[in-house]
Amino acid sequence: MANEKQCASASSCGKSSCEGCPSAKGGAPVDFSAKLNEKSSVKKVIGIVSGKGGVGKSLVTALMASAMQRRAKKAAVLDADITGPSMGKSFGLTAKAGGDGENIYPAESNTGVQIISANMFLRNDDEPVIWRGPMIAGMVKQFWTDVIWSEVDYMFVDMPPGTGDVPLTVFQSLPVDGIIIVTSPQELVSMIVAKAVKMAQMMNIPILGLVENYSYFHCPDNGKDYQIFGDSHLQETAEKYGVDILARLPIDPAIAAACDAGKIEEVKLEQIDGICDYIENNLR
């Protein structure tokens, strides 16, 4: 299993070894890793994934990057959700990506988070990206190889939902140090989480833990917490697959308003700080 991260067929062939595989030359595994630009420096890469859309994966990505930046760590966001980019909006960025004809330069948020997103290459933010999988995967790799990332301590990769082309490309091409799986309380989602967990295990990608978004609503009037989406099934899912629960995030209209206003960097959550502590203690 040690070489399956590098094999294009590893997620579907079901074999425990790449030996003798026609996808490999002379029985050796094919290396699909993409080389970081020689002018860039990125220490740690963390993927933010989800088995389905709408669970708040991009929100967690933005909150994590903002929190790390507040800790005097240089944070970056690689928005790998090419057809549904949202990072520019969350951070209030309207600037396009810079370039000198040879290299691409990310935009920077108010606090200095380096961000690259597909919308930064479009004339208008509402233009759709109607591409097939190989082109989307190629753009994700270019975000790694052609963009100049400056002394990044933690890069957060916001991936599209599911287990398709882009997650496969990121897992095979980028040196991912670990992933955080974002979910929500509904029972259906526990099955979707299982798919994300199993893909990471098949690709030999470390799972840092689970984050449950929309976990509860804290009523400001009576101080009670209400589980709007019903009882959580996170604990049983975590125990079943042997992964940690990193945080349970509340439903908070103020957070949604901050995203819409491009002021995500102003949001501070103790749960997110707890995840940052975990990352700094476990990714060295």
Side-chain angles (χ1 to χ4, degrees):
M1 297 290 286
N3 291 322
E4 286 189 347
K5 180 180 176 181
Q6 296 177 323
C7 178
S9 304
S11 62
S12 59
C13 72
K15 295 181 180 179
S16 60
S17 170
C18 293
E19 185 176 357
C21 176
S23 297
K25 296 180 181 179
V30 179
D31 186 0
F32 289 92
S33 61
K35 186 178 180 181
L36 182 66
N37 193 296
E38 61 182 13
K39 298 178 182 178
S40 296
S41 174
V42 179
K43 294 180 181 177
K44 298 294 181 183
V45 178
I46 300 168
I48 311 296
V49 308
S50 65
K52 67 182 294 295
V55 298
K57 166 186 51 59
S58 296
L59 170 65
V60 172
T61 302
L63 289 172
M64 290 296 305
S66 301
M68 279 297 188
Q69 194 74 14
R70 284 195 296 271
R71 293 179 171 222
K73 304 294 183 181
K74 297 194 77 171
V77 174
L78 189 159
D79 190 352
D81 195 350
I82 305 301
T83 60
S86 60
M87 283 300 135
K89 174 70 173 177
S90 296
F91 283 90
L93 293 173
T94 57
K96 302 302 179 183
D100 56 14
E102 181 179 354
N103 302 300
I104 302 170
Y105 297 93
E108 285 196 9
S109 70
N110 290 332
T111 64
V113 178
Q114 300 171 52
I115 303 169
I116 201 73
S117 181
N119 268 5
M120 295 176 181
F121 299 89
L122 304 177
R123 281 174 297 194
N124 300 303
D125 287 347
D126 58 358
E127 289 183 20
V129 177
I130 308 174
W131 292 353
R132 295 190 184 276
M135 290 185 66
I136 293 173
M139 188 173 199
V140 171
K141 291 180 71 172
Q142 280 189 290
F143 283 173
W144 177 255
T145 60
D146 295 0
V147 174
I148 306 299
W149 300 101
S150 178
E151 302 297 327
V152 173
D153 293 308
Y154 294 98
M155 172 181 283
F156 297 93
V157 182
D158 181 27
M159 286 193 269
T163 55
D165 284 339
V166 171
L168 184 62
T169 296
V170 171
F171 288 166
Q172 289 182 328
S173 303
L174 275 59
V176 180
D177 295 284
I179 64 167
I180 293 173
I181 300 175
V182 182
T183 181
S184 58
Q186 297 97 322
E187 185 174 3
L188 170 66
V189 176
S190 63
M191 179 187 69
I192 306 299
V193 169
K195 293 180 182 292
V197 169
K198 290 179 179 179
M199 180 181 186
Q201 291 172 340
M202 292 175 70
M203 302 293 292
N204 288 329
I205 303 295
I207 302 171
L208 298 177
L210 306 175
V211 173
E212 185 177 74
N213 194 27
Y214 310 128
S215 186
Y216 60 92
F217 171 72
H218 182 77
C219 180
D221 295 329
N222 60 23
K224 294 182 180 180
D225 293 338
Y226 295 91
Q227 295 179 313
I228 304 297
F229 291 104
D231 294 336
S232 172
H233 298 272
L234 191 65
Q235 187 65 46
E236 58 195 66
T237 302
E239 291 176 357
K240 182 176 181 179
Y241 295 102
V243 295
D244 294 326
I245 297 175
L246 300 181
R248 288 182 166 91
L249 304 181
I251 299 171
D252 189 344
I255 297 176
C259 283
D260 291 342
K263 298 181 178 180
I264 193 63
E265 291 170 294
E266 297 180 7
V267 177
K268 298 178 182 179
L269 293 176
E270 61 180 26
Q271 296 95 327
I272 295 295
D273 286 330
I275 303 174
C276 289
D277 289 338
Y278 183 92
I279 289 174
E280 290 196 75
N281 290 332
N282 289 276
L283 288 185
R284 298 183 182 277

